[in-house]
Structures are given as C-alpha cells and as structure tokens.
Amino acid sequence: MRTFWTYFSIFFALVVFIQVFQYFTSNNAFELDYSVLLKQISLVVLIAAIATYILPKKKKNPFKEKAN
C-alpha cells in the first residue's frame, strides 16, 4: 500500500501544478470547477491503483545468504 500513496502523491502533485499553472495563465477570471477537480482526483486514484498493481514488486532472493 505504500507504493499506492507514493504514486498518488506524485500524480496529485501534477494535478496541483496544472491547477496553479491554469490560475496564473488564465486571461479570464479563474473559477475552480469542482466537477473537473473531482474527475481529476478520481483519475489520479485510478492511475495510482493501476500503477501499483502493474509494476513488479521487489521479491526476496531465496538464494542470497547472510554472511557470517
């Protein structure tokens, strides 16, 4: 589950960056559209969940022994 929160935080930071960029480059009065924001956050959750299950997890090497 730790990797899910890692991917979630990375993609959520991208969403925040996009929203801030839109705010500063907008010619008109910027209005925060909550339906679009909800879609973006749900997309972030979906992509983070898919990336968590697709990418391989580290497996312990059974042949590796500790040095005495």
Side-chain angles (χ1 to χ4, degrees):
M1 198 63 172
R2 193 174 103 195
T3 36
F4 170 78
W5 291 111
T6 304
Y7 289 122
F8 179 80
S9 61
I10 290 169
F11 294 130
F12 188 72
L14 286 172
V15 167
V16 169
F17 177 74
I18 290 169
Q19 291 296 326
V20 169
F21 183 76
Q22 275 185 327
Y23 175 75
F24 285 118
T25 60
S26 176
N27 292 334
N28 301 337
F30 180 76
E31 293 181 13
L32 187 62
D33 191 7
Y34 292 110
S35 64
V36 171
L37 190 62
L38 183 65
K39 287 177 188 176
Q40 287 176 345
I41 291 175
S42 62
L43 204 81
V44 164
V45 169
L46 182 68
I47 291 172
I50 290 172
T52 301
Y53 290 111
I54 285 179
L55 293 176
K57 296 178 176 129
K58 284 186 176 179
K59 295 181 181 178
K60 292 184 179 178
N61 190 353
F63 301 108
K64 190 175 183 181
E65 297 179 12
K66 291 184 178 179
N68 291 331

